[in-house]
Amino acid sequence: MPGDLGAYWKSVARGRSFRVEAVARERRELAIARVEEAVRRQGGDILDFKMFSNLSLSLMVEMAGGGVVALVDSLGALGWQVDPGRDALAAGAAGRLEGTVQVTFPEGDGELVIPVPAVPG
């Protein structure tokens, strides 16, 4: 029986303090830059990210609880559909939190092409 399950369970539970889902109806590259800037403006840090082709991006972020509410406000100000609303997140506004920001790109077709640079050799 392993001795320290605390560290394991802590790593499994990362990013579960909050979840924000947004739909960005603009070019993917521009939307990614905007969400990154919005996180940083609220004093947040991007800890990890996962791209799901050109359909979606999931960011694991760490920020103060009040910053999460401000992040929702700033994404909503861009005209993005954001769930949950600020009222649902206001209860967890104390302390530093880790959570996820999921951005969906409805214009995506699932065929993200990343050009491979020509490397000599």
Side-chain angles (χ1 to χ4, degrees):
M1 177 99 180
D4 182 15
L5 290 180
Y8 169 76
W9 288 110
K10 184 176 179 181
S11 71
V12 168
R14 285 190 77 192
R16 296 194 179 176
S17 297
F18 65 89
R19 179 172 173 84
V20 173
E21 297 179 13
V23 177
R25 298 196 180 275
E26 56 187 85
R27 279 189 16 249
R28 184 178 151 278
E29 298 80 13
L30 181 58
I32 291 171
R34 287 187 178 192
V35 73
E36 179 182 14
E37 175 59 29
V39 168
R40 295 203 191 289
R41 203 175 6 192
Q42 301 310 321
D45 295 307
I46 297 172
L47 305 176
D48 195 8
F49 72 94
K50 291 185 176 50
M51 290 192 312
F52 302 94
S53 190
N54 60 356
L55 299 172
S56 185
L57 172 70
S58 180
L59 302 166
M60 182 183 297
V61 301
E62 179 183 24
M63 61 180 20
V68 176
V69 175
L71 175 66
V72 166
D73 289 343
S74 65
L75 296 179
L78 293 172
W80 296 8
Q81 176 186 347
V82 183
D83 286 317
R86 70 182 329 272
D87 296 336
L89 295 169
R96 194 106 174 129
L97 306 173
E98 284 184 4
T100 56
V101 177
Q102 182 81 33
V103 182
T104 301
F105 310 106
E107 304 302 321
D109 60 6
E111 298 294 329
L112 178 64
V113 176
I114 300 174
V116 179
V119 178

